[in-house]
Amino acid sequence: MSEMRALYQEVILDHNKKPRNWGAIDGANRHAEGHNPLCGDHVKLTMNVAEGKIESIAFEGVGCAICKASASMMTGAVKGKPVEEADLLVEEFRGMATGSLDPEQSHLGRLKVFAGVRDLPSRVKCAILPWHTLHAALHSEESVSTEGASDPVPGE
Amino acid sequence: MRREDFPILDLMVHGKQLVYLDNAASSQMPQQVIDRLVHYQNFEHANIHRGVHYLSDMATTAYEGAREKVRKFLNAKESREIVFTKGTTEAINLVMHGYGRKFLKEGDEIILSGLEHHANIVPWQMLAQEKGIRIRVIPMNDDGELLQEEFAKLFNANTKLLALTHVSNALGTVNPVKEMIAHAHRMNVPVLIDGAQAAPHHRVDVQDLDCDFYAFSGHKMCGPTGIGILYGKAEFLEKMQPYQGGGDMILSVSFEKTEYNVIPYKFEAGTPPIAAAIGLGAAIDYLSEIGLDVIEAKEKELLDYATEKVKKLPYVRIIGTAKKKAAVLSFEIEGVHPHDVGTILDTEGVAIRTGHHCAQPVMQRFCVPATARASFAFYNTLEEVDKLVAAIEKVQEVFG
Ligand SMILES: Cc1ncc(COP(=O)(O)O)c(C=O)c1O
C-alpha cells in the first residue's frame, strides 16, 4: 500500500480529476502531439511563445492518471517561464523519472511527486510523455508526432 | 487443482502473495515441463536430423515424438500436417507467405473478424497492400459476438480466404467456428483458425472442425516460449511455397537447382528450438493427464464466480458478455484509466494485463482506449478471484 500511495498521492489524484490548463489555444504558434502507442495515452499541447517566453499553454487528450497529472502540473510549471527554463525542467524531469537524477538536486519543486515512477518501469513512459511533447513543441516549427522512433522507451 | 506443480505461484511480489491472472498473455509452467526441459539438456541434446550419433538420434526421436503428441492433441490425421513454428504469429505469417503470396491475386478478398488479434490482421494487410486484395471484416454485437448474418453476406466469387480467431483474447468470446468453417467451405473458401486462446482451454479436434489451418502457441498452454504450431491439411501444405530457405528444408542443393524437402520439413528451415518443442510435448502430456474437459469446467467455474462478483460493483463495466466465453474478464472502472488499475492491482500482488491486448479494432468497437483484463487458468482459485475483487475495491477507494 505504501508503495502505491507513494505514486498516487493526493496532488496527483487531484490534478487527474481536475486538470489545469485543459483545452486548446486558438491560434497557438506552437503545438505538438504525443502518443504512447503501447497504452493509448495521447497528449495534445498548444502554446504561444513570444520573445523566448511561454506566454500561454494548454493541453488535452486521453491518458492514465499519471500522464494526465504530469501534463497538468507541467503546464503550470512552465507557464510564463523562458524557454531555457522549460528546457531545463524537461531534462530534469526525464532524469528523475528514469532514476538518473536525484530530484533533491533539481529545480523540479512540486513535480517531485512523480519521483515514484522510477520504481515502476512500465509507467515511466506515462509520466514522461507530456514532457516529451513539450520538448517537441518548443523545438520544431510545425506540429510533430512523437509516435514511433522518438518514443521515450527502453534505456530511458 | 495441482497448484503445487507450479513453483512460480509461490512467489511474493511487493510483499504480497502473487495472484497470477494474466494467463491469456502467457501461462505458467509446471515442474513436470521444467523437468523435461532440464532432462533434455542434460541427457539428450544434439542437433536433430543430422548426425548418425547416439545423441542426435535421441534428440531427433524426442523432437519427432513431440510432433506426434501434437498430432494426437489436435486429432490431426497425420503428423506431417504439424509444422513447428515459433508461435501463432509465425504460423499465420507462414500461411500468408506460403499460401497467400502464392495463390491470392489482385481483386481477391479475405474475410477477417472484428475480434482478431493483430497477429491475424497485420500479415493479411501486408498481403493486401502488396497484391491489391480487399479485406472484409465480420462485425459484432455489443456483447462481442460475431453477427452471423453479416458474416454470410461477406462472401462472393472473389472471396479466397477466411482467417478467424477461435477465441477472442480481448473479450473471451468463443466463436462458433465449426459452423463458420462449414459455411466458408460451402462457398469454396479455405479457412485459417487462430487457436492461440482456444487450444489451452478446451479440446480441439481439427478433423471435426474441418479447418484447413489451425495455429497456436506453446507458451499459452504451460509450455515454453519460442514454440508454436501450424496445423495444415496435407493437401494445402504440399502445394504451398516454403517460408524460409536454409538447412533441413531441402532434399538436395546445387547452384543450379534446389529440391525442397517433403512436408512438414519444407517449412522448418534451420535448427529449430528443439528443447522448446519437446517442452511443448511435455505440456500436452500434462494438460491431457488432467483432461481438457476438467480444465474447461474449472475455468468456467472461475469465470462465472468472478463475473458474478464483479457485476455487483456498480463502478465496473464488463466488456465482452458473449453467451459462450472463455475465462477472460475484460473490464473498465468508471473514471479510472486501465493502467492505473493495473498498477494498483500490481501493488496488491494481482497480475493482470492492461492495454489494448493487441486487438485495437476491438477497443475501437467498444470506444475504449484500453481495458483491464483478468484471465484465468485451471490452477487459479476462487480465493484468488476474491483477492482480485478486493484489489478492484481498493482502486475505487483511491480514485473514488
Ligand atoms: C488470439 C491470439 N492470436 C495470436 C496471438 C499471438 O501469439 P504469439 O505472440 O504467441 O505469436 C495471441 C497472443 O497474444 C492471441 O491471443
Side-chain angles (χ1 to χ4, degrees):
Chain A
M1 196 70 182
S2 62
E3 213 172 306
M4 177 180 94
R5 285 293 181 196
L7 185 56
Y8 291 96
Q9 295 179 32
E10 281 309 322
V11 50
I12 290 183
L13 295 170
D14 181 61
H15 275 266
N16 173 54
K17 217 175 239 172
K18 295 180 296 216
R20 324 293 200 265
N21 303 306
W22 179 262
I25 297 169
D26 272 344
N29 62 12
R30 303 290 170 92
H31 48 117
E33 277 186 54
H35 294 274
N36 180 344
L38 199 71
C39 62
D41 285 348
H42 177 211
V43 176
K44 218 167 140 182
L45 207 59
T46 46
M47 56 187 175
N48 274 307
V49 176
E51 291 168 16
K53 219 172 88 181
I54 299 172
E55 295 201 318
S56 55
I57 179 165
F59 84 100
E60 58 191 353
V62 291
C64 60
I66 303 302
C67 179
K68 213 158 146 194
S70 173
S72 173
M73 292 179 69
M74 176 188 80
T75 55
V78 302
K79 199 195 265 185
K81 294 266 170 66
V83 170
E84 301 86 71
E85 266 184 54
D87 281 339
L88 179 67
L89 287 178
V90 169
E91 198 176 304
E92 289 189 344
F93 191 93
R94 291 173 62 145
M96 171 179 74
T98 55
S100 65
L101 174 75
D102 175 3
E104 297 311 323
Q105 309 296 319
S106 74
H107 306 80
L108 291 167
R110 275 158 44 86
L111 294 164
K112 285 189 288 196
V113 292
F114 290 98
V117 288
R118 68 175 164 228
D119 300 321
L120 296 166
S122 60
R123 304 304 302 279
V124 169
K125 289 172 68 176
C126 308
I128 289 184
L129 182 68
W131 295 87
H132 191 67
T133 311
L134 174 63
H135 181 82
L138 285 174
H139 297 283
S140 54
E141 308 296 309
E142 296 294 320
S143 157
V144 291
S145 167
T146 54
E147 193 161 10
S150 54
D151 198 37
V153 246
E156 290 221 16
Chain B
M1 178 197 300
R2 303 188 58 161
R3 234 185 122 70
E4 61 283 3
D5 291 343
F6 294 81
I8 205 169
L9 298 179
D10 291 336
L11 212 64
M12 302 291 286
V13 297
H14 308 302
K16 301 270 166 64
Q17 172 73 48
L18 169 68
V19 176
Y20 188 77
L21 302 179
D22 195 16
N23 295 286
S26 203
S27 55
Q28 299 299 348
M29 192 183 278
Q31 192 62 50
Q32 288 84 339
V33 176
I34 298 170
D35 287 346
R36 184 66 189 90
L37 295 173
V38 172
H39 181 82
Y40 168 75
Q41 290 305 153
N42 283 342
F43 301 104
E44 297 170 326
H45 173 67
N47 212 329
I48 52 165
H49 299 150
R50 291 183 189 181
V52 290
H53 57 80
Y54 169 83
L55 273 184
S56 181
D57 280 343
M58 289 293 283
T60 305
T61 303
Y63 180 77
E64 291 304 327
R67 196 189 306 276
E68 173 58 20
K69 287 178 202 283
V70 175
R71 184 206 65 74
K72 242 172 104 183
F73 180 71
L74 293 177
N75 191 32
K77 230 183 263 165
E78 308 172 69
S79 62
R80 68 192 181 113
E81 295 178 314
I82 307 300
V83 180
F84 284 118
T85 66
K86 79 177 159 77
T88 308
T89 304
E90 192 181 49
I92 295 170
N93 276 277
L94 193 160
V95 176
M96 183 278 269
H97 176 89
Y99 184 82
R101 283 214 169 106
K102 185 163 179 192
F103 295 109
L104 270 61
K105 53 181 198 314
E106 190 176 347
D108 285 347
E109 297 186 0
I110 296 174
I111 298 178
L112 307 177
S113 89
L115 288 169
E116 299 310 312
H117 185 281
H118 296 167
N120 202 23
I121 299 175
V122 182
W124 306 117
Q125 269 172 344
M126 290 163 72
L127 184 70
Q129 269 176 12
E130 198 177 296
K131 299 248 183 185
I133 288 167
R134 179 167 176 211
I135 288 178
R136 310 196 65 178
V137 181
I138 313 164
M140 66 183 108
N141 63 20
D142 291 341
D143 291 320
E145 296 167 319
L146 297 179
L147 299 172
Q148 295 301 319
E149 279 172 29
E150 299 301 316
F151 165 64
K153 283 187 214 154
L154 294 176
F155 286 84
N156 61 43
N158 297 323
T159 312
K160 291 293 152 60
L161 185 72
L162 166 65
L164 175 68
T165 196
H166 195 160
V167 172
S168 156
N169 69 310
L171 306 180
T173 311
V174 179
N175 288 321
V177 287
K178 188 175 175 183
E179 292 72 22
M180 294 173 80
I181 293 165
H183 183 83
H185 283 173
R186 281 194 294 276
M187 310 302 287
N188 290 316
V189 171
V191 184
L192 174 142
I193 299 293
D194 172 353
Q197 296 295 343
H201 307 293
H202 55 102
R203 195 176 297 287
V204 173
D205 181 332
V206 290
Q207 290 192 69
D208 178 55
L209 290 177
D210 197 29
C211 52
D212 303 290
F213 300 102
Y214 197 93
F216 63 95
S217 300
H219 68 95
K220 293 184 197 285
M221 46 186 290
C222 302
T225 55
I227 192 75
I229 296 297
L230 173 67
Y231 157 82
K233 283 181 182 164
E235 63 195 270
F236 278 84
L237 292 179
E238 271 176 346
K239 65 186 179 190
M240 281 158 60
Q241 62 186 2
Y243 176 50
Q244 294 181 321
D248 259 358
M249 56 77 70
I250 45 81
L251 287 178
S252 68
V253 177
S254 73
F255 283 105
E256 286 71 45
K257 187 178 184 298
T258 290
E259 204 183 329
Y260 298 136
N261 206 338
V262 294
I263 63 166
Y265 309 111
K266 182 167 85 172
F267 300 107
E268 293 179 5
T271 302
I274 305 166
I278 293 167
L280 173 58
I284 286 175
D285 284 345
Y286 181 82
L287 296 177
S288 306
E289 200 189 309
I290 297 174
L292 267 294
D293 300 337
V294 175
I295 287 172
E296 190 176 356
K298 177 66 198 282
E299 291 175 352
K300 185 173 186 322
E301 184 194 2
L302 289 163
L303 178 72
D304 289 349
Y305 182 69
T307 306
E308 195 185 313
K309 285 222 134 185
V310 168
K311 257 190 187 161
K312 291 201 180 109
L313 307 173
Y315 46 87
V316 179
R317 170 164 83 115
I318 295 176
I319 299 173
T321 43
K323 279 182 270 316
K324 269 201 85 184
K325 259 184 81 167
V328 167
L329 191 69
S330 244
F331 61 94
E332 196 187 29
I333 301 185
E334 212 178 278
V336 188
H337 192 280
H339 280 119
D340 298 315
V341 177
T343 296
I344 293 175
L345 263 55
D346 181 55
T347 56
E348 295 296 311
V350 180
I352 60 158
R353 168 91 189 259
T354 60
H356 53 58
H357 317 295
C358 296
Q360 284 183 325
V362 176
M363 300 297 111
Q364 286 149 14
R365 170 65 177 74
F366 289 90
C367 301
V368 292
T371 73
R373 179 190 72 186
S375 52
F376 308 97
F378 59 89
Y379 46 71
N380 288 126
T381 62
L382 298 178
E383 293 75 57
E384 287 180 314
V385 174
D386 289 338
K387 285 184 185 171
L388 166 72
V389 173
I392 293 174
E393 285 169 338
K394 203 146 266 170
V395 174
Q396 180 66 7
E397 219 176 274
V398 172
F399 277 86

